[in-house]
Amino acid sequence: MIEMKRFKSLLFGIFVALLATQMSFLSANENGVARWDFDSEESIPFEKAGSIDRDQSGPRPPEFPDFSASNHAFKFNGGGSHLTIEDPGPESRFDFGPGDEITMEAWVRVAAISENENVYVVGKGRTSSDPAQRDNQNWALRLRRLNGKSHVSFLFSTAKSDSEINADSHWHRWTSNGALNGDQQWHHIAVSYQFGDPESARGWIDGESQLGTWDMGGATAESPVVDDQPIWIGSSMGGNAASSFRGWVDSIAVHRGLVDDQVLRDRFHRANPLPEMAPPLDAIAGKVRVMFTEAFESHKQWPVLFEQSSSAKTVSGLAEWQTDQFLIPRLPYRYDTWGIRDSWKGPVLVQAIADVAFPAGKNRILLRARGLSRLWVGESVAVRTKPLAGSTDGHEPVDPLPSPPVPGMRLVAYGVQESIGELNLNEAKVLRVILETVVGGASYRCEPGELLVGLQSEEGEMFELVRPNDGMLEPRPIIDSEVVVDLERSERSLREFDDTNRRASAASEDAFWSRRHAIAREWSLSHASPEVPSDATLGESPVDRFVQLKLINAKRDPSLAVDSPSEFQQFVLPILKQHCFRCHGEKEVESGLRMTTREGMLLGGESGESVLVPGDPHSSTLITRICAEDENERMPPSAKLSDAEIQILTKWISNGAAWSRGIASDAFRVPPIIDDSAFIRRTYLDIVGVPPTEGETRTFLADGNADKRTMLIDRLLTDPRWADHWVSYWQDVLAENPNILKPELNNTGPFRWYLYEALRDNRPVDRMVTELLMLRGSEREGGTA
């Protein structure tokens, strides 16, 4: 075992040596323990846990000229996401003890950190979720959020004495006085310390030296805890969410020694920030091309260098929406791979692109958007709006809406910003217009509000919706009567777009369901019903055959073979319900005896003795027990049945104890076929929930086609009203409708959208049931969850 540990330690030393050759920015006098550049995940023995995205853009030129143009980083998405590097054993290069010097550094780009959180960049020990086993922090580089700023922090623990069982004095935390700014850009951070010399603690942020304070446990000359626990990157404490880093990390390095101040100052080499540039997006002639990119980096600011990379991709499976004006009332619905509604991963970047004809002269450009937006006209930004801000609890004050920029113009919607810019042209031009807006964000729903772009020419009196240049489109003034029509047209286009995307996603499961249904058909053919009597006329329609077979089987059912089925329902069943079902019903089954069915009474209870002998009341335990004089034997024990009730039950058993469902004898006869006027009315009410119009009725009555009834049913099953009508039925069947459980809510909840879309798409019932059981998609947007 010892030899194996030595062998593993040797291998790890070779590995570290290989890594050290990649330390291009380490000087010769730096004693590198390890460095992780994240350029090639496969070349480093990480164990990955949680949500981590690889091949993300790291610091790159021209902004950071010391890095390669293809430099990559890892993105940690919080929630316990981390990388694990095992310690090779005792006295490894990762162990730091009394008098040892350590320097830790990393490039970080913070996506989010909450007040008073301490998030881990890298640390050794303290990986267990058990509080009794996580006091073994050898060293850690962290970020600490205080008063809205992210400070660099260093943490280690010393051995806990018996008097410190419930104290934190064995923890020693140093926090820098300076902090990162909140721009969500790349920053270089570092901490150095000599164990045993608390005055040696230093920090660096973007090349600037930082003093700090021992703000937990105080300064100490004691030795840190040293053991063989692993190194974690991105989290600690068993994956505690509050200690998990959320953002990008690159070039983590651990050194044995105090790296020279000048070296750490030179680490941060940043050129002048890149100028803002319009994205290189192509337009489609005569259309506004709209693209949607989810999980955008921030809802508060634009990145310095944005690219359609793995960190910001147009949603897989979601084609681009094309419309005819810069008016976007909502995002398309997002569907998972089964075609079930899911939630957007906000923030969502919306980009709308079109070539637009601008008249000569002084043009005013209007932008209405809810969050961070910019409108490119040609190569420059013509107008902007600010990031989302303010309360998200729905209780913010509702201020009066501002007056419109032009009298009679449609008012801006609540929660939507309005901004106006100018564009002066010497001559009429066709320019590329690109609207970029960030929808949703941390604690904000992914809703764009009434997003629009308007244009007022020098000669124009009213702002008009900006539309593509194709020479065929009429001006659309931004007034209520016109915008309402435009919004409805946009909504129809979005519904068609949603239908296409949903059905395309759901088609990924079609092959599976086709196989299932083929197996079911094969099974049903091999388990066909027995031959029916030759004198039976079943008809050709599957529905008619189904009904006829049910009637034939009902006639054969001995429990229905009674002269007067209403007698059981009227006299016998009420006695059983009143005196027997309470203890021998569906919920309470005393002594294993269930008396709610004839079969249950014949089967008997735990004794296995039937309580019912049809035709022989004197041998039936039921009669014996209800007539018993001994209270310990008599049933029910609370009160003896009346003589009249005993007589009814005795007569019932004497006549065969038929358990009638109350079906009258004439119910076994097929009723006469109804006329066309009754048929069309019943069919409309059954399928779409409303009666036919006079015109529909007259057309149907005048139709001489022999198949017109089948054709009517088929047509109505493709009518959108079919889904509208049957949603309420399925909500009641599934007890989802809150009106049933809590009538004061006065709503139905988002789940109705799954039912509506499943019915519109004619999903088979077995598929619907499976999707309901799988609880997919978003419970807020209308998934089966």
Side-chain angles (χ1 to χ4, degrees):
M1 181 64 70
I2 294 176
E3 292 299 318
M4 178 58 69
K5 284 187 177 181
R6 289 177 179 173
F7 179 67
K8 290 173 65 177
S9 181
L10 176 62
L11 287 179
F12 189 84
I14 295 173
F15 161 68
V16 170
L18 289 173
L19 286 179
T21 63
Q22 302 176 15
M23 298 181 187
S24 57
F25 61 62
L26 296 185
S27 62
N29 63 353
E30 293 181 60
N31 188 358
V33 172
R35 171 178 164 181
W36 300 282
D37 282 325
F38 307 116
D39 277 332
S40 178
E41 181 182 13
E42 290 79 7
S43 66
I44 303 176
F46 290 131
E47 289 184 16
K48 187 165 68 172
S51 176
I52 301 175
D53 299 325
R54 58 168 299 182
D55 296 333
Q56 304 287 295
S57 297
R60 292 181 178 182
E63 185 179 10
F64 297 101
D66 292 342
F67 288 87
S68 70
S70 60
N71 181 45
H72 287 101
F74 274 19
K75 183 184 179 186
F76 293 79
N77 296 309
S81 302
H82 65 274
L83 301 173
T84 300
I85 301 97
E86 294 296 335
D87 188 309
E91 299 183 4
S92 76
R93 300 191 67 176
F94 288 119
D95 295 345
F96 288 81
D100 286 343
E101 299 173 338
I102 185 172
T103 301
M104 297 167 287
E105 58 177 315
W107 284 81
V108 296
R109 184 178 171 199
V110 180
I113 179 171
S114 300
E115 190 68 18
N116 295 319
E117 280 190 341
N118 296 277
V119 297
Y120 276 70
V121 178
V122 61
K124 182 177 187 298
R126 205 189 187 192
T127 57
S128 174
S129 59
D130 183 355
Q133 300 179 14
R134 63 185 188 202
D135 289 334
N136 58 340
Q137 190 83 77
N138 189 197
W139 47 264
L141 173 62
R142 309 190 304 174
L143 289 176
R144 176 165 168 74
R145 188 75 167 180
L146 293 172
N147 300 318
K149 296 182 179 180
S150 299
H151 300 257
V152 177
S153 180
F154 170 62
L155 179 73
F156 69 94
S157 65
T158 55
K160 182 189 293 187
S161 66
D162 294 340
S163 61
E164 295 175 331
I165 297 299
N166 296 315
D168 290 330
S169 58
H170 63 292
W171 288 104
H172 302 279
R173 181 180 64 204
W174 180 91
T175 302
S176 67
N177 295 333
L180 282 65
N181 59 43
D183 58 5
Q184 295 195 359
Q185 300 306 318
W186 281 106
H187 297 279
H188 178 263
I189 62 173
V191 166
S192 67
Y193 181 65
Q194 181 178 13
F195 289 101
D197 181 7
E199 298 298 324
S200 66
R202 296 285 299 280
W204 283 266
I205 298 176
D206 294 343
E208 295 185 5
S209 178
Q210 305 288 324
L211 297 178
T213 304
W214 290 98
D215 56 0
M216 182 179 183
T220 182
E222 294 185 44
S223 303
V225 172
V226 180
D227 56 22
D228 298 334
Q229 289 298 299
I231 296 87
W232 274 23
I233 297 174
S235 187
S236 185
M237 294 186 286
N240 178 271
S243 68
S244 299
F245 186 85
R246 301 187 294 281
W248 294 259
V249 175
D250 191 19
S251 300
I252 297 176
V254 180
H255 311 271
R256 188 172 294 277
L258 303 179
V259 177
D260 186 74
D261 285 9
Q262 186 60 48
V263 172
L264 291 175
R265 277 195 292 270
D266 292 342
R267 288 280 197 264
F268 188 77
H269 181 195
R270 181 178 181 182
N272 293 328
L274 294 175
E276 199 173 31
M277 298 177 63
L281 299 173
D282 296 327
I284 299 174
K287 291 291 184 181
V288 178
R289 175 190 180 202
V290 188
M291 303 167 61
F292 307 92
T293 303
E294 66 176 1
F296 192 60
E297 296 172 353
S298 170
H299 75 277
K300 296 181 179 180
Q301 64 181 37
W302 304 105
V304 173
L305 180 63
F306 172 64
E307 57 181 327
Q308 292 286 83
S309 65
S310 58
S311 63
K313 285 185 177 179
T314 300
V315 179
S316 176
L318 185 64
E320 299 172 0
W321 179 46
Q322 296 179 18
T323 183
D324 56 6
Q325 56 204 350
F326 279 85
L327 175 64
I328 303 174
R330 65 171 174 86
L331 298 186
Y333 296 123
R334 191 186 190 285
Y335 296 93
D336 69 7
T337 55
W338 285 18
I340 296 173
R341 282 200 196 184
D342 208 347
S343 296
W344 284 95
K345 297 178 176 64
V348 177
L349 173 68
V350 179
Q351 294 171 304
I353 310 102
D355 290 331
V356 177
F358 290 91
K362 182 179 179 180
N363 297 281
R364 299 175 74 201
I365 301 177
L366 168 78
L367 172 59
R368 289 179 173 178
R370 179 166 285 176
L372 178 68
S373 307
R374 57 188 178 187
L375 183 73
W376 298 89
V377 179
E379 297 298 323
S380 60
V381 176
V383 61
R384 304 173 185 269
T385 56
K386 298 178 180 179
L388 284 166
S391 171
T392 61
D393 60 8
H395 297 285
E396 64 274 10
V398 180
D399 298 323
L401 291 173
S403 299
V406 176
M409 185 176 173
R410 180 176 175 85
L411 294 175
V412 65
Y414 280 104
V416 175
Q417 304 174 59
E418 182 175 72
S419 184
I420 297 177
E422 291 187 357
L423 178 67
N424 296 306
L425 297 175
N426 295 326
E427 58 182 358
K429 286 185 178 180
V430 174
L431 297 173
R432 180 150 301 170
V433 174
I434 301 177
L435 167 63
E436 294 186 293
T437 184
V438 181
V439 179
S443 303
Y444 293 97
R445 291 172 61 88
C446 293
E447 296 174 350
E450 196 171 284
L451 176 65
L452 63 81
V453 180
L455 176 67
Q456 183 188 36
S457 66
E458 189 171 7
E459 305 297 329
E461 297 181 358
M462 179 61 67
F463 278 94
E464 299 174 354
L465 285 174
V466 171
R467 313 187 78 184
N469 172 49
D470 67 353
M472 302 292 292
L473 300 174
E474 295 293 329
R476 306 292 295 179
I478 304 177
I479 59 178
D480 285 339
S481 59
E482 297 289 347
V483 173
V484 168
V485 174
D486 293 329
L487 287 172
E488 177 55 34
R489 185 166 64 249
S490 296
E491 180 59 36
R492 286 197 301 270
S493 175
L494 282 167
R495 283 199 297 265
E496 294 174 358
F497 184 69
D498 292 333
D499 290 345
T500 299
N501 285 314
R502 181 180 67 255
R503 289 162 185 166
S505 297
S508 65
E509 297 294 310
D510 286 351
F512 170 79
W513 288 103
S514 295
R515 290 195 301 271
R516 280 185 61 116
H517 294 158
I519 294 170
R521 282 191 293 272
E522 182 180 349
W523 183 92
S524 63
L525 290 174
S526 64
H527 294 74
S529 301
E531 290 294 328
V532 299
S534 59
D535 60 347
T537 302
L538 298 182
E540 297 181 359
S541 166
V543 176
D544 290 341
R545 293 180 64 85
F546 175 81
V547 173
Q548 289 280 15
L549 281 170
K550 285 290 186 181
L551 291 174
I552 291 171
N553 290 332
K555 290 179 181 180
R556 292 172 173 172
D557 189 344
S559 68
L560 297 174
V562 294
D563 295 333
S564 179
S566 62
E567 182 177 340
F568 172 81
Q569 296 285 333
Q570 185 175 357
F571 300 108
V572 177
L573 189 57
I575 297 173
L576 297 176
K577 285 182 177 179
Q578 180 181 356
H579 298 290
C580 305
F581 287 3
R582 182 174 60 184
C583 297
H584 302 282
E586 292 298 330
K587 294 183 179 180
E588 295 292 335
V589 188
E590 188 74 24
S591 302
L593 174 61
R594 179 174 282 113
M595 297 180 64
T596 52
T597 64
R598 186 175 192 267
E599 291 75 13
M601 297 176 72
L602 291 172
L603 184 63
E606 296 172 352
S607 66
E609 179 183 359
S610 172
V611 299
L612 192 66
V613 181
D616 188 357
H618 300 293
S619 299
S620 299
T621 306
L622 174 62
I623 300 300
T624 303
R625 298 295 294 273
I626 65 176
C627 294
E629 294 296 334
D630 187 348
E631 293 184 358
N632 294 325
E633 292 291 328
R634 189 178 63 233
M635 289 292 172
S638 57
K640 185 177 181 180
L641 272 63
S642 68
D643 292 342
E645 290 173 327
I646 294 174
Q647 185 177 358
I648 290 172
L649 293 178
T650 301
K651 179 182 177 182
W652 172 60
I653 296 174
S654 297
N655 292 335
W659 194 285
S660 170
R661 297 180 179 87
I663 302 176
S665 58
D666 60 358
F668 293 116
R669 294 195 300 270
V670 178
I673 296 176
I674 58 176
D675 60 24
D676 283 347
S677 61
F679 180 84
I680 187 174
R681 177 177 174 80
R682 292 183 186 180
T683 303
Y684 264 79
L685 291 174
D686 279 350
I687 298 178
V688 297
V690 296
T693 64
E694 179 185 352
E696 291 168 333
T697 303
R698 290 185 180 278
T699 301
F700 181 75
L701 295 178
D703 189 352
N705 193 319
D707 294 331
K708 67 179 184 180
R709 294 192 175 193
T710 300
M711 294 168 62
L712 174 65
I713 292 172
D714 290 342
R715 178 170 63 80
L716 291 180
L717 286 175
T718 62
D719 191 309
R721 293 175 296 177
W722 134 261
D724 293 326
H725 177 47
W726 282 88
V727 162
S728 59
Y729 168 81
W730 279 104
Q731 282 186 298
D732 291 347
V733 167
L734 297 169
E736 190 275 339
N737 191 339
N739 286 335
I740 296 175
L741 305 177
K742 293 184 177 181
E744 69 273 10
L745 289 179
N746 194 30
N747 63 24
T748 60
F751 174 70
R752 67 190 185 278
W753 292 114
Y754 167 75
L755 296 173
Y756 176 71
E757 291 173 346
L759 293 171
R760 282 194 60 216
D761 296 345
N762 287 315
R763 295 192 185 182
V765 174
D766 58 345
R767 182 169 180 171
M768 287 178 63
V769 171
T770 300
E771 291 173 345
L772 289 168
L773 293 174
M774 295 301 291
L775 300 178
R776 297 196 42 116
S778 168
E779 69 274 17
R780 295 179 179 87
E781 305 296 336
T784 60

